[in-house]
Amino acid sequence: MTTYVTGTTIKQLREARKLTQMELAERIGVSSKTVSKWETAKGLPDISLLQPLAQALGISVIELMNGEHITNQNISANMLRCKFYVCPICGNIIHSLGNMVASCCGITLPALEAEEADEAHGVVIENVEDEHFITIHHPMTKQHFISFLAFVTSDRTQMVKFYPEGNAETRMQLRGRGYLYYYCNQHGLFKIRA
Ligand SMILES: [Fe+2]
């Protein structure tokens, strides 16, 4: 089922912003009767009105459709609490210091939950001079591959993008203690302490 804005959400958000039906209606160029219809489930706002409606209610379209107001509270975020979001359609990668409303290709992306590395997604780390050579022994075909690797400490993230038909290996300096994250397009996000 596709999520769409509900009358209850519109009413709650309008009241929270201390707006009358008339005031909200004026802001988006409809009649107060129209707003009343939406709120009593006798009609739905046209899709072209979602953006102005969200703006008038002070939230994003995604929040309006999900019926919840998400506040990003990342002012003093520790990078170790960072989140990764990957778009399953285009492969875009979003790295955020905390929870956020992330959307790509028209869909809302969940924050990925990292699993401990399993046998099929093991990592080998070798010291090479003052750097580390990191290898993930994993298929690298167009259908099944490691998309990226990131080494995260409390104040720094180093990210490397991999591509199918290349190798999932890289050289980097692992400074400090942190986590090595890597993402398989079929099996999701993995992490190991490094
Ligand atoms: Fe995999």
Side-chain angles (χ1 to χ4, degrees):
M1 196 178 77
T2 310
T3 312
Y4 202 72
V5 61
T6 66
T8 314
T9 299
I10 296 171
K11 185 164 193 269
Q12 281 171 352
L13 289 166
R14 176 180 63 74
E15 287 175 350
R17 292 189 72 82
K18 299 192 172 31
L19 293 171
T20 63
Q21 288 183 339
M22 177 61 88
E23 285 165 335
L24 176 61
E26 278 172 1
R27 289 189 187 193
I28 53 178
V30 298
S31 69
S32 61
K33 202 172 157 194
T34 302
V35 172
S36 168
K37 276 188 189 170
W38 297 340
E39 293 186 357
T40 51
K42 293 189 180 92
L44 285 172
D46 183 80
I47 194 156
S48 65
L49 289 171
L50 287 188
Q51 180 62 46
L53 181 59
Q55 203 173 349
L57 295 169
I59 59 169
S60 67
V61 173
I62 292 168
E63 290 167 299
L64 181 63
M65 290 177 66
N66 286 338
E68 58 178 326
H69 189 180
I70 300 166
T71 308
N72 288 344
Q73 292 174 318
N74 303 321
I75 298 156
S76 58
N78 179 326
M79 228 172 222
L80 288 172
R81 275 184 240 130
C82 71
K83 306 283 179 196
F84 292 96
Y85 302 79
V86 176
C87 176
I89 297 171
C90 73
N92 189 16
I93 302 158
I94 299 166
H95 173 236
S96 166
L97 291 195
N99 278 316
M100 65 174 289
V101 180
S103 96
C104 191
C105 294
I107 52 172
T108 306
L109 309 176
L112 296 174
E113 194 131 336
E115 289 173 45
E116 295 299 323
D118 61 16
E119 255 178 46
H121 299 86
V123 186
V124 176
I125 302 174
E126 295 162 291
N127 285 349
V128 183
E129 293 153 13
D130 61 342
E131 287 188 315
H132 296 85
F133 199 80
I134 303 162
T135 311
I136 304 163
H137 294 290
H138 186 275
M140 288 298 280
T141 64
K142 282 198 172 99
Q143 289 73 37
H144 187 195
F145 64 99
I146 300 296
S147 156
F148 72 90
L149 173 148
F151 179 60
V152 179
T153 63
S154 61
D155 65 351
R156 185 180 303 239
T157 292
Q158 297 177 77
M159 192 185 282
V160 180
K161 182 81 184 83
F162 296 130
Y163 297 93
E165 284 148 28
N167 290 332
E169 59 185 28
T170 188
R171 256 173 103 123
M172 64 165 67
Q173 258 188 346
L174 302 183
R175 282 165 52 187
R177 295 286 288 167
Y179 287 96
L180 204 57
Y181 287 90
Y182 47 101
Y183 182 76
C184 162
N185 73 317
Q186 288 196 11
H187 299 107
L189 190 66
F190 294 93
K191 74 170 178 184
I192 59 160
R193 192 96 171 111

